[in-house]
Amino acid sequence: MKNIGFLSFGHWADSPHSMVRSAQDSLLQSIELAVAAEEVGADGAYYRVHHFAQQLASPFPLLSAAAARTNRIELGTGVIDMRYENPLYMAEDAGAADLISSGRLQLGISRGSPEQVIDGFRYFGYEPYASDPAGAELAREHTAKFLEALSGEGFARPNPRPMFPNPPGLLRVEPYAPGLRDRIWWGAGSRATAEWTAQQGMNLMSSTLLTEDTGVPFHQLQAEQIQRYRDAWKAAGHTREPRVSVSRSIFPIVSDLDKQLFWRERHSTDQVGHLEGGNARFGKTYAGEPDKLVAELAEDEAIAAADTLLLTVPNQLGVDYNAHVLESVLKHVAPELGWR
């Protein structure tokens, strides 16, 4: 068995081929897609987060709304850029959303991906150290404070004349969501970052691109990253079982519309590019008839190593089509590979 959910880009564009032409379309259709995903038997609805882009930038209202419309599926992000976040305010928002969902939140966070603007986090009032211009340490410092707040331990000295009666001792961030600390994921783009993620006791969300290239296929490099994460988790002595996710673009061609949209992707391959001063490797798109996909996906070592598979969906094509893509994977591919 494998958890299977979708990862939505949440992008909108005013074009004749897009069903998502405004921020309102994007948000409302994201909620409807979560409802549809639950109805077809998927396990999760995850949303990408990008600032200064025509897509989702404030996930907690969306997660709360989706939680109110669903009953079973996990609701998460992939990923929140921690360079932009006030850790304590984020802990309040996350706690409220998790309680509304009855403990179904799965938050993916990280240092972030390439941005729309130069150093966008500076506009939000956050200045990194001179030795850390990209803000990697800033993101990790914010993360440490966020995780500490989620622990539920009191740290704030109470006012002797409060507006409301206080419990004894130091006060914690409210509302407190029990168990949410164990449902935080870090989006890791390298093997070293995956090992750091394990040391911090976070689940691993292996990135859709890896910021290193050793010459092996993407899925093998990602599988090595996952194994290093699991080894580091064991060495750290954590008592719970960690979770690992990978994301893939998988499009079974079972209709004429599928063929029209994705026939060009049937021979997709890994891509190697240059990102932030070094080589990076991007995974392929899987598109084809179900029997072809089953044979190809059976060879994907990273999917085999992960317990959660997030299917990236082209949300511009609308709720109905994306629900069709999810259902096609769950019906025609997942059972053949033992995922269901």
Side-chain angles (χ1 to χ4, degrees):
M1 292 290 292
K2 198 178 295 288
N3 276 36
I4 300 176
F6 73 79
L7 178 61
S8 172
F9 282 81
H11 181 75
W12 65 89
D14 188 10
S15 72
H17 302 292
S18 178
M19 301 290 289
V20 184
R21 301 188 182 185
S22 69
Q24 184 179 38
D25 285 346
S26 179
L27 290 165
L28 295 178
Q29 290 189 31
S30 293
I31 297 166
E32 294 301 325
L33 183 55
V35 173
E38 184 167 86
E39 290 175 348
V40 301
D43 301 302
Y46 287 70
Y47 303 98
R48 288 189 182 274
V49 181
H50 289 281
H51 297 284
F52 296 104
Q54 288 188 325
Q55 62 180 59
L56 181 64
S58 54
F60 292 107
L62 172 61
L63 294 169
S64 297
R69 292 284 308 280
T70 57
N71 299 295
R72 178 185 55 80
I73 59 172
E74 298 175 341
L75 300 160
T77 53
V79 291
I80 298 172
D81 189 332
M82 291 303 291
R83 294 174 296 180
Y84 288 78
E85 296 298 323
N86 178 312
L88 299 186
Y89 190 76
M90 180 178 173
E92 292 177 338
D93 277 350
D98 192 52
L99 293 174
I100 291 170
S101 73
S102 299
R104 290 183 283 137
L105 217 59
Q106 302 283 343
L107 285 183
I109 64 176
S110 82
R111 195 222 72 172
S113 54
E115 299 183 273
Q116 296 296 111
V117 301
I118 298 172
D119 295 345
F121 47 89
R122 295 179 187 270
Y123 295 101
F124 280 60
Y126 300 113
E127 292 288 336
Y129 301 116
S131 60
D132 177 40
E137 288 306 314
L138 177 67
R140 293 189 179 195
E141 287 182 3
H142 285 184
T143 298
K145 292 178 182 178
F146 175 62
L147 296 178
E148 184 178 8
L150 292 184
S151 72
E153 296 296 323
F155 61 89
R157 186 164 59 91
N159 189 333
R161 293 181 294 277
M163 180 176 292
F164 309 106
N166 280 324
L170 299 177
L171 301 184
R172 67 189 181 190
V173 165
E174 299 286 356
Y176 171 63
L180 180 56
R181 170 61 178 85
D182 290 341
R183 288 179 272 117
I184 305 301
W185 307 58
W186 186 267
S190 70
R191 293 165 294 176
T193 304
E195 291 171 338
W196 175 85
T197 302
Q199 293 162 4
Q200 310 311 307
M202 289 185 284
N203 300 313
L204 175 66
M205 188 171 280
S206 188
S207 177
T208 52
L209 63 90
L210 298 177
T211 55
E212 55 189 350
D213 176 37
T214 64
V216 302
F218 176 84
H219 72 98
Q220 291 181 355
L221 181 58
Q222 196 172 40
E224 180 189 346
Q225 181 199 49
I226 293 170
Q227 186 58 53
R228 289 198 184 193
Y229 167 80
R230 294 193 186 281
D231 292 343
W233 183 277
K234 183 177 180 181
H238 301 304
T239 57
R240 69 176 178 87
E241 190 68 23
R243 290 186 61 183
V244 175
S245 75
V246 297
S247 58
R248 293 290 185 271
S249 297
I250 302 174
F251 300 105
I253 295 179
V254 298
S255 71
D256 290 339
L257 181 56
D258 297 333
K259 187 178 298 183
Q260 176 185 342
L261 292 172
F262 295 107
W263 69 271
R264 297 184 185 207
E265 301 290 345
R266 289 181 298 178
H267 304 292
S268 173
T269 60
D270 288 357
Q271 298 181 52
V272 178
H274 198 70
L275 181 66
E276 297 184 347
N279 288 336
R281 184 169 282 270
F282 305 77
K284 61 179 287 186
T285 294
Y286 290 95
E289 291 70 21
D291 57 344
K292 173 179 177 288
L293 291 183
V294 168
E296 290 182 349
L297 291 166
E299 302 298 319
D300 192 310
E301 296 177 18
I303 293 180
D307 60 79
T308 299
L309 172 63
L310 301 180
L311 303 172
T312 57
V313 295
N315 79 307
Q316 296 95 326
L317 296 178
V319 174
D320 290 344
Y321 185 75
N322 283 301
H324 159 73
V325 170
L326 294 173
E327 188 172 30
S328 294
V329 173
L330 292 168
K331 180 179 179 181
H332 300 291
V333 177
E336 298 299 321
L337 290 164
W339 300 347
R340 279 291 188 271

